Amino acid sequence: MATKKAVDSGYSKDKWDKKKPKTANKGAKKRPLMETLRSEHQHMASVMELFKDQLDAIEQGQLVDTHVIYEIMDYLVRWPDRFHHPREDLIYGRVAEIDSEAADNVDSLQREHDVMAKQSRAVLVDIEHWREGDLDGQTLIKSGRAYIDRLYAHMNSEEKVVFPQIEAVLTATDWRELEVDDQLRPMADPVFGGRIDREFRNMARKLRRNLRVRVERGAMIEWVGIEAFMESLEVLSMAYDNARDATGDHLRSAVDDAVDMVRENPLSAPVRCAINNTRTTLNWLGDVADISRDAYDDLSRVNQARKDRVRLVAGD
């Protein structure tokens, strides 16, 4: 996705909802239209994640619901291309009139909207042919993933480059004039709105199920982390106790030896005590080093066990 400014790789496919873009002006007033566009990006990312999961399942030879796959692409054709992108274009057009620096980025994104509309319809046709048995799964996987990559790159460009420019350029007057445009008024999303359209009921049900699974997995992963943290504290506590006991033992031994040396020969005692204390100190350092190594090994084991359990919970 080419724009005038270099675009940070930013959002990854499966972590889009965990990352928040920075606006050009942190003190800028939040605008309902921009909040709506960002929310719609979140919705589209959720649908694309579901699409990605379905394509992965096809590649792995798993059974998939072909109705869900069709509804996913039908949604991406009908919603972003008919409502989301045209509303973005109207806002972009106003920005391009005001800021020549933003005009190049805006022009690139507007042309990309046209390209993606064609690509989305082509993928929908591929899905129809695949369902009829006229297209192999690998071809569908290739075209579907290419579309996902392009749409994510496009949304990255908007959120990282153009959206901050919009918020920095448009004034309160510009926003008031834009908000009275009928074409910019929010449309009820057929999946994420107050009412789910019948055509997308299978996809919506799958999204809800996936969300529930992600929440459950997130809770389990968090609990695994807590358990590992508590076990690590126990390891450190034991290491501290062992080091303290070793220090006490060596100190008592040094004191006892010094008393005996003074009783045996007071004149030679200082030299003998110094030599003995050096030997005792070296032994103590060796014991502490052994305790530290054991603690490190135990902490490594705890951390590896945590990673293994997280992978197991995540299904990797």
Side-chain angles (χ1 to χ4, degrees):
M1 179 61 235
T3 57
K4 186 174 181 179
K5 293 184 179 180
V7 179
D8 187 335
S9 58
Y11 305 102
S12 62
K13 297 180 181 62
D14 57 345
K15 296 181 179 178
W16 172 274
D17 57 348
K18 296 181 182 178
K19 295 180 178 287
K20 302 296 181 184
K22 296 180 180 179
T23 58
N25 182 2
K26 291 184 179 179
K29 181 180 178 181
K30 290 186 177 180
R31 299 294 175 180
L33 283 174
M34 296 305 300
E35 294 302 303
T36 297
L37 293 181
R38 287 192 171 98
S39 294
E40 290 171 355
H41 279 181
Q42 296 285 341
H43 297 158
M44 291 156 61
S46 297
V47 174
M48 286 193 294
E49 278 303 291
L50 179 58
F51 191 24
K52 174 180 173 294
D53 291 343
Q54 297 302 297
L55 293 176
D56 290 345
I58 294 173
E59 186 174 51
Q60 295 163 12
Q62 300 175 9
L63 290 176
V64 295
D65 189 334
T66 63
H67 294 287
V68 169
I69 296 175
Y70 179 83
E71 288 177 17
I72 288 171
M73 205 63 228
D74 190 31
Y75 170 85
L76 291 172
V77 168
R78 292 170 58 179
W79 175 251
D81 291 341
R82 295 184 185 180
F83 300 103
H84 176 78
H85 292 154
R87 289 195 287 118
E88 285 180 330
D89 289 340
L90 289 172
I91 299 175
Y92 293 172
R94 175 62 66 91
V95 173
E97 293 174 359
I98 299 172
D99 189 334
S100 59
E101 180 180 350
D104 288 345
N105 290 334
V106 165
D107 180 65
S108 176
L109 290 175
Q110 288 178 320
R111 285 187 280 106
E112 187 74 2
H113 285 165
D114 295 334
V115 173
M116 286 191 305
K118 295 177 181 177
Q119 187 175 7
S120 65
R121 290 192 293 271
V123 176
L124 185 60
V125 170
D126 284 348
I127 292 174
E128 292 172 339
H129 290 167
W130 169 73
R131 294 179 73 190
E132 294 168 359
D134 298 330
L135 188 74
D136 63 278
Q138 287 302 316
T139 301
L140 174 60
I141 291 168
K142 182 178 179 180
S143 64
R145 286 175 176 169
Y147 175 74
I148 290 173
D149 290 342
R150 187 162 202 155
L151 187 49
Y152 268 116
H154 178 81
M155 291 196 299
N156 277 325
S157 297
E158 291 178 321
E159 300 242 2
K160 292 288 186 178
V161 178
V162 176
F163 282 9
Q165 288 178 328
I166 290 173
E167 292 169 328
V169 169
L170 295 185
T171 65
T173 301
D174 293 320
W175 284 114
R176 281 195 297 270
E177 292 177 359
L178 285 169
E179 286 166 2
V180 299
D181 192 320
D182 289 340
Q183 297 180 72
L184 285 172
R185 292 183 180 177
M187 302 293 294
D189 189 294
V191 174
F192 299 94
R195 176 179 174 274
I196 298 173
D197 284 9
R198 185 173 181 275
E199 294 90 336
F200 302 110
R201 67 185 185 281
N202 296 304
M203 182 183 78
R205 189 161 50 244
K206 187 72 171 177
L207 282 169
R208 287 195 301 270
R209 188 180 303 120
N210 283 8
L211 176 60
R212 184 172 63 252
V213 169
R214 285 198 298 271
V215 170
E216 291 171 352
R217 285 180 177 174
M220 292 179 66
I221 289 173
E222 185 175 355
W223 180 247
V224 167
I226 292 173
E227 284 187 323
F229 175 71
M230 297 302 295
E231 191 173 354
S232 297
L233 288 180
E234 184 179 352
V235 169
L236 292 174
S237 177
M238 291 178 60
Y240 170 78
D241 290 341
N242 290 337
R244 182 189 59 192
D245 292 343
T247 300
D249 290 343
H250 284 292
L251 182 60
R252 283 190 294 272
S253 177
V255 172
D256 291 342
D257 290 344
V259 171
D260 292 340
M261 291 175 189
V262 170
R263 287 175 179 172
E264 292 174 2
N265 190 336
L267 294 178
S268 63
V271 175
R272 293 173 62 195
C273 284
I275 295 173
N276 185 64
N277 288 345
T278 299
R279 181 170 57 250
T280 300
T281 299
L282 292 175
N283 290 337
W284 171 74
L285 290 174
D287 288 347
V288 170
D290 290 340
I291 292 170
S292 298
R293 280 193 294 270
D294 290 343
Y296 176 81
D297 291 341
D298 288 342
L299 289 173
S300 298
R301 175 188 54 77
V302 170
N303 188 50
Q304 185 59 50
R306 178 190 62 81
K307 290 180 179 178
D308 292 342
R309 293 178 66 187
V310 167
R311 282 196 294 268
L312 181 62
V313 171
D316 292 344

